[in-house]
Amino acid sequence: MVGPVLQAPGQVMDRRAVVAALLADRGEMLVVSGLGSPTYDVHAAGDHEANYYLWGAMGSAALMGLGLAQAQPERSVLVITGDGEQLMGLGGLATIAVAKPSNLTIAVLDNGHYGETGMQISHTGAGLDLAAMAEVCGFTQTGVLRDLDAVTSLGQRLKRPANGPALYVLKIKAENPPRSLPARDAVFLKNRFRAHLGLPVS
């Protein structure tokens, strides 16, 4: 088991640069984005038929990724979510650890704040370590990344066969860049994603 990779405290990254680095040359990777800023970040990096944007259901992004990873075991699945949403879905980490999907990686964009509701300090801002919690649950790979070179390296590793589940906390600045909004039509997004997977749509 790989323990948390702690880097120099205090160093944080630009959230848009982080997501762009994760998704550069993404290949066949499927992406689920949590509601709010992570969805805006994923869309800003480039819309893609293999992106499944969540506009609601706060706390569910990681478990949506679990279901997708189980249904598509030959594809790498990346969940990009925020610390606030992952805090709401803490129980899902235990479920994912028990299910052991090797093809699932969760990237938590951690600014230590609830950005959608006014930048109140979140539990991670008060010191809670989501990577350590994932490790205790039984995730096979965890880490805390604070520099863009490490994120770029992670993006490259996501293209290779994995031994997950994995969860990485990516420390970012507490800021709200301009929103980049994907379509809000849930039926359109579902059908586009299913069509990309070669599944029937309705």
Side-chain angles (χ1 to χ4, degrees):
M1 181 177 298
V2 178
V5 179
L6 298 176
Q7 300 183 4
Q11 185 176 345
V12 292
M13 300 175 283
D14 176 89
R15 62 183 310 141
R16 292 282 164 85
V18 164
V19 173
L22 283 175
L23 298 180
D25 302 321
R26 59 187 279 175
E28 296 297 313
M29 186 164 59
L30 304 173
V31 176
V32 176
S33 61
L35 80 169
S37 294
T39 277
Y40 312 148
D41 298 333
V42 170
H43 187 258
D47 192 24
H48 197 291
E49 293 177 348
N51 290 348
Y52 193 74
Y53 307 107
L54 291 179
W55 278 106
M58 185 171 181
S60 67
L63 289 176
M64 291 285 289
L66 170 61
L68 185 60
Q70 291 178 320
Q72 300 288 326
E74 303 303 318
R75 305 280 293 270
S76 294
V77 176
L78 173 63
V79 173
I80 299 177
T81 188
D83 55 309
E85 184 186 39
Q86 192 53 63
L87 285 164
M88 182 173 278
L90 281 180
L93 296 182
T95 300
I96 291 167
V98 170
K100 295 181 172 53
S102 64
N103 57 332
L104 176 62
T105 298
I106 301 169
V108 180
L109 304 174
D110 182 8
N111 63 8
H113 293 76
Y114 293 102
E116 301 304 312
T117 57
M119 284 293 179
Q120 301 88 352
I121 294 176
S122 75
H123 298 68
T124 63
L128 188 140
D129 185 343
L130 287 171
M133 295 185 74
E135 182 185 12
V136 169
C137 285
F139 277 58
T140 58
Q141 300 174 59
T142 61
V144 180
L145 308 182
R146 293 181 180 273
D147 70 73
L148 202 54
D149 287 342
V151 176
T152 300
S153 177
L154 173 60
Q156 294 296 318
R157 292 202 303 274
L158 293 177
K159 299 171 188 172
R160 301 193 290 267
N163 182 29
L167 183 143
Y168 293 93
V169 173
L170 312 175
K171 294 293 187 179
I172 60 170
K173 299 174 189 171
E175 60 182 355
N176 281 320
R179 295 181 176 183
S180 180
L181 301 175
R184 293 187 179 189
D185 185 331
V187 174
F188 165 77
L189 292 172
K190 177 203 70 169
N191 285 342
R192 185 178 76 157
F193 194 78
R194 287 180 62 85
H196 175 77
L197 295 173
L199 299 172
V201 299
S202 59

